[in-house]
Amino acid sequence: VVSWTIVYASQARKDAKTWPVLEKTIESGDPDVVLATLDVIHVLPESVNPVISKRLVEIVGETEDSELLEKAMLALGVCGDKSEKVVATLQKMLEKKDADEGMRITAALVIGKQAAAFPDGPLALLSKCSKEGRTQETTLSFIAARIIPFKEEP
């Protein structure tokens, strides 16, 4: 699977058929195929894909596998549809008290790319974290606040 991923990923950047193929492989019941699919997504140029985005939200909400969870969140940064569902899913990851720091940082980075249309919830959460003065939370708020575009006052 690994060698297939490397070869396919380098060709996938130029092939118009890549996204339709990934839409099929992301639905696989084989975790190795899903992980390889995510590896390919990570090297592609950003392109909104609602079909894959929906499946990634499902994976983030269901999986206990930390590698799969992190890769699925990162893939949302590449092909997330910037929907309220994507933002809410990433926000839940940020709010999880038992999530490890790496997962929370990944969620913060990706929510920064995905929350442009729905910034109020994530910004309120990050502001709250910063005010409470928790080191990890303050770091996360700094990371995401630098990425989420602030709404300009009229």
Side-chain angles (χ1 to χ4, degrees):
V1 173
V2 174
S3 61
W4 170 83
T5 303
I6 293 168
V7 170
Y8 189 73
S10 65
Q11 294 172 348
R13 291 186 193 127
K14 300 173 248 170
D15 193 341
K17 298 179 214 164
T18 299
W19 286 108
V21 169
L22 295 174
E23 288 173 3
K24 291 178 182 154
T25 59
I26 195 73
E27 296 292 340
S28 175
D30 182 342
D32 289 334
V33 172
V34 174
L35 286 168
T37 300
L38 294 172
D39 287 339
V40 173
I41 291 171
H42 294 160
V43 299
L44 294 176
E46 288 185 22
S47 177
V48 173
N49 187 303
V51 172
I52 293 177
S53 184
K54 180 181 177 208
R55 178 65 181 129
L56 293 172
V57 166
E58 292 170 2
I59 291 170
V60 170
E62 297 170 356
T63 191
E64 298 290 324
D65 180 325
S66 61
E67 181 183 14
L68 183 58
L69 175 61
E70 184 174 27
K71 286 184 176 198
M73 285 192 295
L74 289 170
L76 279 169
V78 176
C79 64
D81 62 5
K82 297 177 171 65
S83 68
E84 195 166 4
K85 184 75 172 168
V86 168
V87 173
T89 299
L90 293 167
Q91 191 168 333
K92 282 180 193 171
M93 262 322 283
L94 277 173
E95 293 171 329
K96 270 184 138 176
K97 301 269 187 236
D98 62 340
D100 92 353
E101 187 174 5
M103 293 298 175
R104 294 166 59 88
I105 290 171
T106 299
L109 290 169
V110 177
I111 203 170
K113 293 174 88 172
Q114 293 292 308
F118 306 98
D120 295 338
L123 286 173
L125 173 66
L126 295 167
S127 176
K128 176 185 167 209
C129 292
S130 182
K131 287 177 186 168
E132 291 175 359
R134 289 183 264 164
T135 307
Q136 175 183 337
E137 303 295 333
T138 303
T139 302
L140 291 172
S141 37
F142 176 79
I143 291 168
R146 296 288 181 229
I147 301 169
I148 297 173
F150 289 92
K151 291 195 280 185
E152 292 185 27
E153 297 298 320

